[in-house]
Amino acid sequence: MLEQKDVDAVVISTADHTHAVATAAALRLGKHVYCEKPLTHTVYEARTIANLAKKHQRQATQMGTQIHAGEHYRRVVELIKSGAIGVVRESHHWADSVWAGRPTQPKPPPVPPNFHWDLWLGPAPARSYHPDYLPKVWRHWWDFGEGILGDMACHYMDLAFWALKLKYPHTIQAEGPAAHPETTPKWLIVHCEFPARLDLPAVAVTWYDGGKRPRLVEEGKTPDWRNGVLFVGEKGMLIADYGRRKLLPEAQFADFHPPAAFIPNSIGHHQEWLQACKTGNSTTCNFGYASALTETVLLGNVAYRTGVKLEWNARLLKVENSRQAMNYVHRDYRKGWTL
């Protein structure tokens, strides 16, 4: 299908483990690509897609973090960039998503006649069909997805990447229940440390899921929100979610007037991409931006599965202190599949 000359652009909404191979093939054939989050299944794939997108700059790209296009996220970023809470040295991100549970895997039934199981497996290791892998439970199997972290972190950590001009962390550490070789954890906490960026200082970015939340939230020092982002600055705090935002302590900011809007509103996340396909304009979640966000998110799972505080050399795409971790940075593809 991709080789058809009348196909100009593609939308990739497959399971995570086939995002990269489909995206890479489309880019190499000169297609515009919209791919759902997370952009890829492995860290190596994320960097590969970033390099391909840079090489094929004529192609419009966009990752499906739709909330990025909303006016609300722009107003939150403006508050941080304008210094409303001063210099930010830490941010926290949490999602109270429900873990799908580990399937019992009784004897599998036959593959449905209208389902191409081998094609769905793609580059993943061969295994027998089972409905417990579909349609959404696949996200909680390492061979196909990245758990709650991969599902939700690209949405919430997007705010910190945008507002704090983040790129690549230099250390990543994770905590959670004992790692299982097949399935993702019921909860996870990931600590990322980013170096200073131009005029911005080093910052600690933490992710929580499966019911875990920042200490400041649990202690009642912020509103009791089930999902959110918390920026901690030298002059105060800012908490936000998909539709709400508050400067804290509220009494301190009672007379605060937000800056005049200076980030232009989006025409819509999908419309941005469609317009870029036609005009060559850029998009706000192009693969250059989205790949670094995805890379950081996926490194959280690498840290969790190895149990090591990773020292990440972004330039060399290498974990400096763990050879085992490199087995999770990328993996071999099943025969017949290439990136």
Side-chain angles (χ1 to χ4, degrees):
M1 181 189 76
L2 288 177
E3 293 177 351
Q4 293 178 209
K5 295 186 182 299
D6 59 348
V7 174
D8 298 318
V10 297
V11 175
I12 297 169
S13 305
T14 61
D16 298 353
H17 69 294
T18 48
H19 280 185
V21 291
T23 296
L27 287 172
R28 288 191 174 103
L29 288 170
K31 314 299 182 183
H32 306 293
V33 186
Y34 181 104
C35 183
E36 286 297 346
K37 54 79 200 165
L39 183 61
T40 64
H41 190 228
T42 71
V43 175
Y44 175 81
E45 288 175 341
R47 189 66 67 87
T48 300
I49 294 304
N51 291 337
L52 278 173
K54 185 176 182 180
K55 180 179 179 180
H56 299 271
Q57 291 185 20
R58 288 178 300 173
Q59 278 85 265
T61 62
Q62 182 89 306
M63 182 173 76
T65 43
Q66 296 85 353
I67 192 67
H68 187 101
E71 181 181 346
H72 172 66
Y73 260 32
R74 282 159 165 70
R75 305 296 83 85
V76 172
V77 171
E78 288 168 351
L79 288 171
I80 297 299
K81 286 182 175 291
S82 65
I85 61 171
V87 175
V88 174
R89 298 184 186 274
E90 60 180 284
S91 69
H92 304 268
H93 314 252
W94 65 102
D96 191 22
S97 297
V98 177
W99 188 74
R102 183 171 296 141
T104 56
Q105 294 192 78
K107 184 178 179 180
V111 179
N114 61 342
F115 185 55
H116 196 313
W117 172 243
D118 185 73
L119 183 60
W120 190 91
L121 270 179
R127 66 168 72 205
S128 298
Y129 163 80
H130 198 287
D132 281 346
Y133 302 135
L134 309 167
K136 294 182 180 179
V137 185
W138 57 263
R139 194 178 292 283
H140 296 281
W141 293 83
W142 291 124
D143 279 350
F144 311 132
E146 300 82 27
I148 299 171
L149 177 69
D151 186 20
M152 299 304 299
C154 285
H155 288 304
Y156 286 102
M157 290 178 66
D158 176 29
L159 263 181
F161 266 73
W162 190 0
L164 302 176
K165 302 178 183 178
L166 301 180
K167 188 75 172 179
Y168 303 119
H170 59 79
T171 69
I172 310 95
Q173 188 172 17
E175 52 186 292
H180 188 279
E182 290 273 347
T183 55
T184 63
K186 293 184 177 180
W187 62 271
L188 196 61
I189 300 175
V190 180
H191 308 274
C192 302
E193 297 175 355
F194 289 82
R197 288 93 53 222
L198 298 176
D199 58 335
L200 298 174
V203 61
V205 176
T206 308
W207 168 263
Y208 314 75
D209 64 41
K212 304 298 182 180
R213 298 190 299 178
R215 175 181 53 82
L216 290 166
V217 179
E218 296 291 0
E219 292 178 353
K221 295 179 180 178
T222 75
D224 186 18
W225 293 359
R226 292 179 59 188
N227 307 278
V229 177
L230 179 66
F231 293 96
V232 181
E234 293 180 342
K235 300 178 182 178
M237 299 186 294
L238 169 60
I239 188 172
D241 61 10
Y242 282 0
R244 298 174 291 183
R245 57 186 180 271
K246 283 183 180 292
L247 291 165
L248 304 170
E250 291 188 72
Q252 176 181 319
F253 290 95
D255 298 323
F256 176 81
H257 296 285
F262 56 84
I263 300 176
N265 286 338
S266 170
I267 59 174
H269 200 67
H270 301 103
Q271 287 299 319
E272 278 184 24
W273 179 65
L274 292 172
Q275 184 184 74
C277 293
K278 298 174 182 178
T279 65
N281 292 341
S282 184
T283 60
T284 54
C285 285
N286 60 72
F287 291 169
Y289 173 86
S291 62
L293 172 57
T294 298
E295 184 174 315
T296 299
V297 169
L298 299 181
L299 281 168
N301 277 332
V302 176
Y304 165 69
R305 298 181 75 180
T306 57
V308 173
K309 182 176 182 179
L310 307 180
E311 296 174 6
W312 182 239
N313 186 325
R315 184 178 64 85
L316 298 179
L317 203 71
K318 180 182 178 182
V319 178
E320 297 283 9
N321 62 325
S322 173
R323 293 180 65 181
Q324 178 197 7
M326 293 303 293
N327 293 326
Y328 299 121
V329 169
H330 194 49
R331 65 178 186 181
D332 293 332
Y333 285 170
R334 192 160 59 102
K335 186 178 180 180
W337 291 84
T338 62
L339 184 60

